[in-house]
Amino acid sequence: MGRHMGSDEAAVAVRPHTTGTRTRGPVKQAATVVFAFAASVSFLLVNVVDPFSGATASSDFARDGDRFGGAEVQAYDVQGDYTIGVAREGYVVEKKPEVRLAPASTSSDSGWAPPAITPDPGSAQAYAAGAVAARGWPTTEFDCLVALWNKESGWRVNAYNASSGAYGIPQALPGSKMATAGADWETNAATQIEWGLGYVQGRYGTPCGAWAHSQDVGWY
């Protein structure tokens, strides 16, 4: 009878304690949640206290004059009684001077201006017709002369080209060349025509020769 009771007690003693195993799981899960929450809070606090931590290479520090205690970034301290100073080379950037060319000299630079007179192209052509006939040239040469000086000056005695300095009915360059034909070269159409016909004859032979050259190259 005692043996039988002992067998029952032994069976009870070896029964596994399932109650303790069941309570251990929820505790472990709770601890994991608490740890994750604490880690997240710590990360946020670090960024709030020092948002630049872990970012010391940010360009913002180069603009912070107090980061190095007011010292230049390129100042170095050497152990002992020696100092190393690092200085920057100074340079000045200058704009290259512009090269300005002097304008070509013309007769207008001397301050000369054509006289204030009223030209009479009709009278000038009438005089030229007689001067052409006096040289033995046919009327066809007069026609070429009319075309030539229509193009050059419109037969105006005071026609003046300010850019070149040419002046008068034949557009002498400069106008003072016509002084060889008369002192009144500035205002007298006859003086200008006589000089012009002499120039045409000496350089081109006839007015038609001068007109052909003008048509080819634009001047005579």
Side-chain angles (χ1 to χ4, degrees):
M1 181 109 182
R3 254 179 213 281
H4 181 70
M5 293 297 293
S7 298
D8 292 337
E9 290 175 359
V12 173
V14 296
R15 184 179 298 171
H17 298 280
T18 56
T19 305
T21 304
R22 290 176 184 172
T23 58
R24 211 176 278 129
V27 173
K28 184 177 181 181
Q29 291 178 358
T32 303
V33 172
V34 171
F35 177 80
F37 177 78
S40 300
V41 171
S42 299
F43 178 80
L44 291 175
L45 289 176
V46 168
N47 282 276
V48 169
V49 173
D50 185 8
F52 297 104
S53 63
T56 55
S58 171
S59 59
D60 293 336
F61 286 105
R63 297 192 296 267
D64 188 0
D66 296 332
R67 181 170 177 78
F68 299 101
E72 294 290 338
V73 177
Q74 292 185 330
Y76 299 91
D77 292 331
V78 181
Q79 187 174 4
D81 297 331
Y82 300 96
T83 357
I84 296 178
V86 180
R88 299 177 182 175
E89 287 189 13
Y91 61 91
V92 178
V93 178
E94 295 182 356
K95 183 180 180 181
K96 185 178 179 180
E98 296 181 2
V99 178
R100 295 185 179 180
L101 299 177
S105 176
T106 65
S107 63
S108 60
D109 294 337
S110 62
W112 182 87
I117 58 173
T118 302
D120 186 356
S123 297
Q125 287 187 21
Y127 178 89
V132 167
R135 282 175 167 77
W137 291 334
T139 56
T140 54
E141 293 297 331
F142 176 70
D143 293 338
C144 288
L145 185 67
V146 171
L148 177 66
W149 285 349
N150 271 339
K151 175 185 175 183
E152 293 293 326
S153 63
W155 288 83
R156 292 177 294 112
V157 70
N158 61 346
Y160 177 59
N161 188 328
S163 61
S164 67
Y167 179 71
I169 293 172
Q171 285 292 280
L173 181 61
S176 58
K177 283 183 177 181
M178 295 184 291
T180 57
D184 56 353
W185 61 271
E186 292 180 304
T187 57
N188 194 325
T191 300
Q192 294 183 0
I193 290 169
E194 291 295 339
W195 181 91
L197 290 176
Y199 170 79
V200 165
Q201 185 173 11
R203 190 173 182 94
Y204 301 102
T206 63
C208 286
W211 174 235
H213 184 273
S214 177
Q215 287 180 305
D216 288 340
V217 298
W219 53 271
Y220 81 108

